Structure formats: C-alpha cells, structure tokens
Amino acid sequence: LVGIVEFAAFNQKSSLVVTASNDNTARIWDTRTGSLLHTLKGHTKTVNSAAFDQEGSLVVTASNDNTARIWDSRTGSLLYTLKSHSDVVNSAYFSYDGKLLVTSSWDNTAKIWDMKTMSVTKTLYEIPGLYIKGVNFKDISPRSKITDKQKEIFRQNGAII
C-alpha cells in the first residue's frame, strides 16, 4: 500500500474488502487471494471511510475533499460525486434496502441522500461547536438505544424515528 489505511470494510459475503487511504484513494481487494482488484481514484484529499452496499455492487467513499463518491465495485468506475457538505466528509453508508445513503461531516451535519435522484432529502444538524464523527444506518434504526434527548434533536431536524 502506498498510503496509510484509514478505514477498511468487508462486503456482505466477506469476499471483498475496501480500504480507504490517506493517499486520496480507496482500494478493493479479493479476500481469498489478497489481490488488488481496483484502485478508486478521484478524491483530491484523504479518503476517510468506504463501504459496500448490501449487494456488493457499489462502494461509497468519504473524503477530506468535502465529497462522497459512489463507485461500481465490479469495474472501479466512478458513478457519482456527491457535493453538499461544506467541510470534511468523514463517513458514508448505504441503507440496508439500498434506497438511501447517509453522509456525515465536520460541517455539523449528517445528510440523507435518495439513491434514485442523488439528492439530499434530509439534513440533520448537530449541536453547534461539535461535529459528527460518523454515522451508520444501524445507529438510527428502531432497535438502537437512543436517548430521549437524542430523539428530540433528530425530530427537530426532520428525522423520522
């Protein structure tokens, strides 16, 4: 590897791993052979996180360049660049049904994106002076233990809980 690995994640079948690096790239690896399959190039700053969708056909990356990007995991091709945050995007994850994507940023927001339109459907605002370090759809699922105060903050910002 050329850069420092910032993050790594398996696909659903554990047959692939995606790594996010400080050399502005993400890489997709075959877990059985250890072979590098694709280097995802396009970000202009450190890639902070990367995740597969449930089918394993897409990868989303989050970067210090204030963008998230969606890639075809089979070809390594860039499909979309998501630009809506005004600061570092530190995490991005697909919803379990693949209809939504969530990104979090140092701009004190988490944004929920519609995968059909590639547009932001909700912006969740964090307490001023703090920043959201990361999000995942598991964190806001009905099975999660969310405090009443957290629920109120989410509701005030348009989240459906």
Side-chain angles (χ1 to χ4, degrees):
L1 295 178
V2 176
I4 295 170
V5 176
E6 301 285 338
F7 190 89
F10 283 105
N11 68 346
Q12 191 74 4
K13 296 178 183 176
S14 300
S15 59
L16 300 173
V17 165
V18 62
T19 57
S21 302
N22 72 345
D23 66 355
N24 310 343
T25 68
R27 292 177 174 82
I28 299 174
W29 305 85
D30 183 310
T31 59
R32 289 178 215 118
T33 65
S35 299
L36 174 63
L37 301 176
H38 304 290
T39 301
L40 309 179
K41 295 180 181 178
H43 285 291
T44 58
K45 295 185 179 177
T46 295
V47 180
N48 297 309
S49 74
F52 287 96
D53 69 342
Q54 290 297 308
E55 294 178 6
S57 60
L58 299 175
V59 166
V60 61
T61 54
S63 172
N64 284 3
D65 66 9
N66 304 354
T67 70
R69 295 176 191 244
I70 299 173
W71 312 81
D72 183 319
S73 66
R74 296 165 296 212
T75 65
S77 299
L78 176 63
L79 301 175
Y80 301 100
T81 300
L82 306 176
K83 298 177 182 180
S84 181
H85 288 287
S86 61
D87 208 335
V88 168
V89 180
N90 50 339
S91 70
Y93 294 96
F94 294 99
S95 62
Y96 293 111
D97 62 8
K99 294 179 181 177
L100 301 171
L101 178 83
V102 63
T103 56
S104 68
S105 172
W106 288 6
D107 66 8
N108 296 336
T109 68
K111 295 184 184 246
I112 299 174
W113 301 76
D114 181 297
M115 287 295 294
K116 282 186 181 176
T117 63
M118 288 297 142
S119 62
V120 175
T121 62
K122 295 282 184 198
T123 299
L124 309 175
Y125 296 91
E126 188 53 81
I127 300 167
L130 301 176
Y131 68 91
I132 298 172
K133 186 169 183 174
V135 293
N136 190 319
F137 274 92
K138 290 187 293 192
D139 297 336
I140 57 174
S141 74
R143 296 181 302 258
S144 298
K145 296 193 189 273
I146 299 174
T147 67
D148 288 339
K149 184 175 181 178
Q150 289 169 320
K151 286 180 185 177
E152 183 58 30
I153 291 169
F154 283 137
R155 281 193 193 100
Q156 288 172 0
N157 291 290
I160 300 169
I161 297 177

